[in-house]
Amino acid sequence: MHGRGQLILRSLLISRLALVTALAVTSLGVEAEDLFQVYRDAQRYDAAYSAARLALEAGREKLPQGRALILPTLNLTGAATRSRFDVDSNDPAISASFIRSTNAASYTLTFTQPLYRPQNWYQYEQGEFQVRQAEATFGLAYQDLVIRVSQAYFDGLAAVDTLNLVRAQKAAISEQLAQAKRNFEVGTATITDTHEAQARFDLSSAQEIAAINDLESKQRVLQQLTGKVYTELKRMRGDVKLAPPNPANMDDWVQLAEKQNYSVTQSEASAEVARREARRASAAHMPTLDIVGSVGQSTDTGTVTTIVGRDITTAQIGLQLAVPIYQGGSLSSKEREAAALALKSRDDLENARRTAALSARQNYLAVINGIAQVGALEQALVSSQSALDSNRLGYEVGVRINIDVLNAQQQLFSTRRDLALARYNTITNQLRLKAAAGSLREEDLEEINRALER
């Protein structure tokens, strides 16, 4: 069973290696893509971002629609008819039978100017805040795209780093395995060293398969965002130093988040819309007054009673008053509903502020702790390398055993992997912090892009 399991494991590894090798061959001569180019591709392809952009265009139409309610309206109606009368007289001596055809045409031009319609005015005011609401919603989608692209990009880099580290670790274990076998053959080491090295080598093969699978998965996430498969991404330079948040005080970030976070501005606009909707519902009980005027003309060639045609022109102007008296209780019900929704919008706004403040605090601490973690891991990497060198030397002179060298190798590669992940996570947390404060822009991506390899 053990031999059959090894055969299956190796078959899977060979197939995955073939796929990765094919990608590598395809990427020959192809320039690696950077973060900003991937972001541009996502802007053109991502369906969620495209839907948000179209929703913004639709939302901006609320303002002209509301303005139209307080402006005059002008309507033109017209009609043209042809009539045929077939009259059979019951007493031809008094009235003869006859057949007559007539034509008639008319048009009416109607003008209406609202003088007092408080409901329309409140709806016009709503339009201004509905536009702000749409803009804030798009701002959320814009920042979400930046975060999703950055996360997917650095997840892809992390997957590549993990695969490279696993392969490097496997190569190092292979060398240690070969040395253990040589030492056993000459009698300077026991078979235990060989078995330990073999076990670590088999484990690294399984880890390589998992790393290849993870890399493929991360490539598909980028493909979903951009519609492209990237064979190579530009990596972060090793000499990049992560800057602390600016401003440095967490309370300053919290204040920014409570004021200009897009969820907060969206909720503020929604609250204003709900407040005016409550006023509009109350105004439904009030009378309305309009100026109404019309000009019309009708022409006919006769009627059933006369063969003489007529041209009639009419013109009128006046005031039209409408007073709602009783609507079955629907107006009062809508007024209570709108009042409750207005109160709800206030609580939604407060919840948005608290959520934004919490997000700012969490991401601020994540950035600060991430920078500290990167510094600690950089020092740990130096120490791990020294520990590996010492254990190798000790193994050669006989004061260390093989398992010590294998453990030191694993610690070194784990530290390299953790350092890379800590850098990527800190960068994405910096973007999330700015998003929480409502200040995330494309310029922030460009700054990160300059830290990539050229």
Side-chain angles (χ1 to χ4, degrees):
M1 284 297 292
H2 180 69
R4 183 179 180 184
Q6 280 190 333
L7 180 61
I8 295 174
L9 183 66
R10 288 172 183 171
S11 299
L12 288 172
L13 180 58
I14 291 172
S15 63
R16 292 298 180 88
L17 285 175
L19 176 60
V20 174
T21 303
L23 289 174
V25 172
T26 305
S27 65
L28 291 176
V30 178
E31 185 178 357
E33 299 290 347
D34 59 26
L35 175 60
F36 203 76
Q37 182 57 50
V38 173
Y39 169 71
R40 288 301 187 202
D41 292 338
Q43 275 189 316
R44 290 187 288 266
Y45 183 80
D46 184 64
Y49 181 78
S50 178
R53 185 172 58 248
L54 295 174
L56 173 61
E57 294 180 10
R60 284 174 173 163
E61 297 303 320
K62 293 296 184 180
L63 185 58
Q65 291 172 12
R67 187 187 301 116
L69 296 175
I70 61 176
L71 295 177
T73 59
L74 196 63
N75 295 307
L76 177 65
T77 59
T81 60
R82 178 177 176 80
S83 303
R84 184 177 184 276
F85 303 99
D86 189 350
V87 180
D88 292 329
S89 176
N90 291 331
D91 190 350
I94 298 175
S95 176
S97 300
F98 64 90
I99 297 176
R100 182 177 301 150
S101 297
T102 63
N103 297 320
S106 65
Y107 74 87
T108 302
L109 185 64
T110 304
F111 167 84
T112 303
Q113 170 62 61
L115 289 181
Y116 183 72
R117 284 185 175 265
Q119 278 189 298
N120 291 6
W121 186 261
Y122 289 134
Q123 191 167 346
Y124 167 59
E125 292 181 346
Q126 280 181 318
E128 298 179 355
F129 291 101
Q130 285 170 330
V131 171
R132 296 184 191 178
Q133 186 179 5
E135 291 173 346
T137 303
F138 177 73
L140 283 172
Y142 164 78
Q143 290 191 152
D144 179 64
L145 180 66
V146 173
I147 296 296
R148 286 188 292 130
V149 169
S150 301
Q151 185 68 60
Y153 186 91
F154 288 118
D155 283 348
L157 288 184
V160 172
D161 290 342
T162 299
L163 178 59
N164 291 337
L165 289 173
V166 167
R167 285 175 172 171
Q169 184 178 13
K170 183 180 178 181
I173 294 174
S174 178
E175 293 178 2
Q176 196 67 25
L177 174 60
Q179 185 176 2
K181 289 180 177 179
R182 288 194 301 269
N183 291 342
F184 174 71
E185 291 173 356
V186 298
T188 58
T190 65
I191 193 62
T192 302
D193 290 346
T194 302
H195 289 166
E196 289 172 346
Q198 184 66 53
R200 292 294 180 93
F201 182 82
D202 293 340
L203 178 61
S204 66
S205 297
Q207 291 173 340
E208 184 179 13
I209 294 174
I212 293 173
N213 181 72
D214 185 59
L215 176 58
E216 293 175 7
S217 176
K218 296 303 188 295
Q219 287 176 335
R220 296 302 171 260
V221 173
L222 274 174
Q223 184 181 14
Q224 182 185 11
L225 282 171
T226 64
K228 297 181 178 180
V229 176
Y230 300 99
T231 55
E232 188 176 0
L233 299 174
K234 289 188 177 180
R235 304 177 65 181
M236 187 72 64
R237 298 199 314 269
D239 59 346
V240 172
K241 299 299 180 183
L242 301 178
N246 183 24
N249 192 343
M250 182 172 64
D251 292 336
D252 294 335
W253 286 99
V254 172
Q255 291 176 4
L256 288 173
E258 291 177 338
K259 292 179 181 178
Q260 62 187 36
N261 179 278
Y262 278 117
S263 293
V264 174
T265 56
Q266 181 189 47
S267 297
E268 287 176 341
S270 298
E272 292 296 334
V273 171
R275 187 177 297 115
R276 281 156 179 78
E277 181 62 24
R279 295 176 183 174
R280 197 172 77 89
S282 298
H285 296 281
M286 304 178 70
T288 61
L289 184 64
D290 301 330
I291 295 178
V292 179
S294 65
V295 175
Q297 185 174 12
S298 61
T299 301
D300 63 63
T301 60
T303 66
V304 69
T305 59
T306 177
I307 60 173
V308 179
R310 298 173 299 174
D311 290 328
I312 302 173
T313 300
T314 60
Q316 61 182 10
I317 188 170
L319 297 176
Q320 180 173 294
L321 176 67
V323 181
I325 297 177
Y326 182 67
Q327 303 293 331
S330 65
L331 297 182
S332 298
S333 176
K334 291 179 180 179
E335 184 178 7
R336 293 191 299 269
E337 177 189 23
L341 291 176
L343 293 176
K344 173 184 175 295
S345 68
R346 290 168 51 186
D347 291 336
D348 289 340
L349 174 58
E350 182 60 28
N351 181 63
R353 288 196 178 112
R354 294 175 183 177
T355 303
L358 175 62
S359 178
R361 290 188 178 97
Q362 289 176 333
N363 287 293
Y364 177 87
L365 294 175
V367 172
I368 294 298
N369 294 332
I371 293 175
Q373 185 183 23
V374 168
L377 287 171
E378 287 175 343
Q379 183 59 43
L381 183 62
V382 176
S383 301
S384 297
Q385 184 64 57
S386 299
L388 176 60
D389 295 339
S390 299
N391 276 280
R392 280 176 173 170
L393 180 59
Y395 181 71
E396 291 175 358
V397 298
V399 297
R400 291 290 183 183
I401 59 177
N402 192 47
I403 190 65
D404 295 329
V405 178
L406 295 173
N407 288 337
Q409 286 177 344
Q410 182 175 1
Q411 179 179 340
L412 174 62
F413 291 115
S414 296
T415 304
R416 287 178 179 172
R417 180 197 60 203
D418 294 343
L419 176 58
L421 289 176
R423 281 177 176 158
Y424 300 149
N425 290 336
T426 302
I427 292 173
T428 54
N429 285 329
Q430 285 177 330
L431 296 177
R432 287 191 174 92
L433 175 60
K434 292 182 178 181
S439 60
L440 181 60
R441 300 292 182 268
E442 289 184 356
E443 290 77 7
D444 299 308
L445 277 186
E446 292 177 345
E447 182 179 354
I448 296 174
N449 211 53
R450 289 191 289 270
L452 302 178
E453 294 177 348
R454 296 300 173 188

